[in-house]
Amino acid sequence: MFAFADPAAAAESGCGTHKVARVSLYSWACNLETSDSEISYRVHFQNNHGSQVLIDYQNGVSVAGGAVRWDFTNTRVPLNTGDRSYENYGGGCTRGAKARAAVRIKENNGSWGTTAYSASITCR
């Protein structure tokens, strides 16, 4: 379920830098928590384009500095002008290892844009 940002949503920490795709679309990732070798995270999107756009994105987790384990479900969502939206996800991580959430948006040419990461968090 794609949801609009809600101030009452779960507390975030360790948000990473905003990355730009398709000139005016922003994405970033934040940590929610870790427990029982799982990381919970939130990916955000913002549309600063002058009209509604459809975005294709993927999310995943990088553990201990390894490659991102992408969720290969290519998610497509509409985003209206000025909208800021988010989606919550989870992924596995090794207890004691550092993990980072990741998100990327598909560019107009079909390639994946720059990956946005959350800050590292230690898995419990």
Side-chain angles (χ1 to χ4, degrees):
M1 181 179 137
F2 206 63
F4 292 101
D6 176 1
E12 297 176 340
S13 65
C15 294
T17 59
H18 294 76
K19 298 297 180 179
V20 180
R22 295 165 48 185
V23 180
S24 57
L25 302 175
Y26 295 84
S27 62
W28 64 99
C30 301
N31 301 315
L32 295 176
E33 65 177 342
T34 64
S35 60
D36 299 325
S37 298
E38 290 282 324
I39 177 175
S40 296
Y41 60 97
R42 180 173 292 151
V43 295
H44 291 266
F45 307 98
Q46 182 172 334
N47 177 9
N48 289 345
H49 190 65
S51 60
Q52 182 188 57
V53 295
L54 286 174
I55 61 169
D56 294 309
Y57 74 92
Q58 287 181 320
N59 60 282
V61 175
S62 170
V63 178
V68 175
R69 295 180 302 207
W70 294 108
D71 174 354
F72 284 102
T73 303
N74 184 18
T75 305
R76 174 173 276 188
V77 294
L79 203 56
N80 290 318
T81 302
D83 276 357
R84 290 181 64 166
S85 300
Y86 70 85
E87 181 65 70
N88 294 334
Y89 290 99
C93 61
T94 306
R95 190 175 301 245
K98 297 282 188 185
R100 297 190 306 164
V103 62
R104 61 186 179 181
I105 294 175
K106 192 170 274 189
E107 298 284 359
N108 287 332
N109 67 7
S111 66
W112 288 108
T114 305
T115 301
Y117 293 95
S118 68
S120 291
I121 189 169
T122 302
C123 297
R124 299 189 282 147

